[in-house]
Each structure stands twice: as C-alpha cells, then as structure tokens.
Amino acid sequence: MAVCFLKLCICSFLIISSIDWLPQAMSRVEDADDVSLREMYDQWMVQFGREYKNTVEKEKRYKIFKANVEYINSVNEAGEKPYKLGINKFADLKLEEFKLAAHIGYRSAISKPSTTSSFNTVRDSAMPSSIDWRKSGALTPIRDSDCGAWTFPAVDTVEGLVKIKTGKSYELSVQEIVDCDEGGNGCDGGYTDEAFEFIKHHGLTTETNYPSKQIQETCNTKKELEPVVKISGYQHVPADNETALMQVVANQPVAVTVDASSADFQFYSGGIFSGKCGIDIDHGVTLVGYGTGNGGLKYWLIKNYWGTSWGEHGYMRMLRDVKAKEGMCGIAILATYPTM
C-alpha cells in the first residue's frame, strides 16, 4: 500500500509539474517566434533603409509590422483567392498611413475630364487575345518615387506611344513637368490631364537631360533641354466600357485610375487581383496589356510606380471583364491615352 501510495504521489507530482511548465514552454515558443519575426523586421529595415527617431517609434512600427505579417499570412494560408500578398516597403504602415505614403486619394491620382478631346473608334477586328507592351520594349523601368507621381501615367503612355510609332526608346523626364507645369502643384500633386497638356504644348526632354531630384525646383529652360518628343493631343476612352478600353490597349498603353485603398492592394505580391475594392478611384497607374491566366481568369496588366518590391516586380494583374460596368476597382471609369 505504501508503494502504491508513493507511485500515486509521483504520478501526481509529474502531472502538476507538467501543468506548471506548460505556460513557460508556450512562452518560449512564442518568444522564439517573436525573435524570428524581429530578425525579419531588422532585415526588412535594412533592405528598405528604414530608420526611426527612437526605440519607442521602432517598437510602435514593429507592432504594426507584426500585425501586417499576420494578416498577410492569414490571407495566403486561406488559399481562397487567385492572388497572394507579401511583405513590401509598406509593411510598417497602417492602411491610412499607406494611403498617405503612396499618395492614395491625393489630387495626384485623379484626372480631370477633358473638354478638348473625344474618343476615336479603334479597330477591333483581329484584336489579339492578349497583349503585353513590355515584350516590345515599349515600357521603361518601374519608377519608385513620391514626387511627381501624378505625371507617371501620362509619361509612361507617351514613352510607349513613341516607341510604337517611331521605334525610338526614351526615358522621359517627369521632373520637367514637376518644375515647369504651372497648372500642377509639383511634388504635392496635379492631374494626369495636366501632364498631357504640358507634353502637348511643350514636349518633354529625357530623364538624363533633366533628372529627377525628388523635390520641386525652378524650371530649367536651358536650350539643351529642348524636347525630344511631343504629342498632338490626348483622348478619353468612353467611361464604363471595358471593351472599348481593351480596343485601345491593343494599340498602346493607357493611363487609368483605380481604387487602391485596401490592405490587399497595399500588400499585393502576385496572381490575378480580385480583392475588395470600390469605385472611388484614387490612384493613377498605367494599363499596359491584358490576357488570360489562372485557369481561364481574364486580367488587365497594370504598371505601378511603387518600386519592384511591390506586386509582380512592380506590375499587377487585375481581374478583367467583371459584372460591374466600371470594371474591377473602377478601372474603366477614367482612361486616357495620348495621340501623335
């Protein structure tokens, strides 16, 4: 009886001991995960050159980073969407902060309706089933800049049109528009149509001749900065018409505006985007193609200007031919293209 009692005591002690150790063991696992995440965070800071004013701010940003990583993992692990999310340069920002950092909703993202141009019918006979203007060398490298972002879709489309029409490749200056366009607000914003108007009346020189400075400066009017390209005008695609939009993109890149104010847009890393978004268009991008993928899903190919860490090396494939007449994220609401 004494032996049995001793065995019972020993068993009870082991059970109690294991219960006492469980929270500590779990704590160590959580600490280990947190250490690995902090290591990831430190590496991320180095990769994107992020620095904070003090340890309090760093800890605040780490908590946001951690929450964003958890959200990214939850979406990817669910496996319910035809796209994936990933960690990029916006990973330490809350959604509202991201909108500010990426100039989402700024005047820079929204074009004014043009009163000087109208849409010309574009051929649709033998229209290709897919187009990617990268393959013909019509696109310059992905930009990563805040200053002058409102000019990028206009400049991108002009660069593409010049290559298609003349065979010449130019990386054109956005800084010239920022400095010299009296209708815009420099780094603080302007309308895409204003950029088109400037190029129509003044033309543009190259990025090499008039390089980006990330700030607005006094307009440089030196003779050697004479334009290398001009356009005759620009036209708007009929609103809410993905077919008409496809007709134009088959011929040249198009400046469009989309609703980019969602966490899934913020952390998009690949696949065909079909995430939650509305039609409150707030972000200008360049439409550079279309195609079909992911088991037959139709998509638009978009060039963004948030660097190559975002999306598919700076590009996004967005769901095409949706039920909403405005298109996915309002992509068909306001589309503009230059003419020569």
Side-chain angles (χ1 to χ4, degrees), residues 111-132:
S111 298
K112 292 186 301 186
S114 172
T115 58
T116 60
S117 59
S118 59
F119 177 74
N120 288 336
T121 302
V122 181
R123 63 172 181 82
D124 60 0
S125 60
M127 190 164 58
S129 59
S130 65
I131 192 79
D132 183 343

Side-chain angles (χ1 to χ4, degrees), residues 244-312:
L245 186 55
M246 187 174 174
Q247 290 174 336
V248 182
V249 179
N251 289 330
Q252 65 187 90
V254 178
V256 296
T257 310
V258 297
D259 179 354
S261 56
S262 70
D264 284 18
F265 207 105
Q266 177 180 357
F267 297 118
Y268 167 80
S269 69
I272 298 178
F273 184 79
S274 60
K276 182 179 179 181
C277 58
I279 57 174
D280 292 329
I281 53 177
D282 52 18
H283 178 59
V285 292
T286 308
L287 188 51
V288 297
Y290 59 82
T292 305
N294 284 38
L297 288 179
K298 299 177 182 179
Y299 66 82
W300 295 112
L301 179 63
I302 292 170
K303 181 184 180 184
N304 206 347
Y305 55 81
W306 294 339
T308 56
S309 77
W310 180 88
E312 296 178 330

Side-chain angles (χ1 to χ4, degrees), residues 41 44-45 47-50 52 60-69 71-72 85-104 142-146 149 152 260-269 283 285 304-311 314-316:
Y41 180 57
W44 174 88
M45 287 179 61
Q47 179 182 353
F48 292 101
R50 191 74 88 247
Y52 303 110
K60 173 186 173 182
R61 291 296 156 190
Y62 169 72
K63 290 179 179 178
I64 296 172
F65 179 88
K66 182 178 181 181
N68 285 333
V69 170
Y71 175 74
I72 290 167
L85 305 183
I87 300 170
N88 55 36
K89 69 176 185 177
F90 302 120
D92 67 339
L93 301 177
K94 294 181 178 180
L95 182 58
E96 290 303 317
E97 294 174 322
F98 156 70
K99 293 176 186 179
L100 293 175
H103 285 221
I104 300 296
I142 292 291
R143 293 179 170 90
D144 187 3
S145 173
D146 294 328
F152 295 169
S261 56
S262 70
D264 284 18
F265 207 105
Q266 177 180 357
F267 297 118
Y268 167 80
S269 69
H283 178 59
V285 292
N304 206 347
Y305 55 81
W306 294 339
T308 56
S309 77
W310 180 88
Y315 291 85
M316 169 185 271

Side-chain angles (χ1 to χ4, degrees), residues 111-114 117-119 193 234-238 334-337:
S111 298
K112 292 186 301 186
S114 172
S117 59
S118 59
F119 177 74
D193 283 5
Y234 56 97
Q235 298 182 342
H236 287 283
V237 181
L334 189 57
T336 314
Y337 61 99

Side-chain angles (χ1 to χ4, degrees), residues 36-49:
S36 64
L37 187 58
R38 284 187 181 275
E39 290 175 349
M40 181 194 301
Y41 180 57
D42 289 338
Q43 293 170 4
W44 174 88
M45 287 179 61
V46 172
Q47 179 182 353
F48 292 101

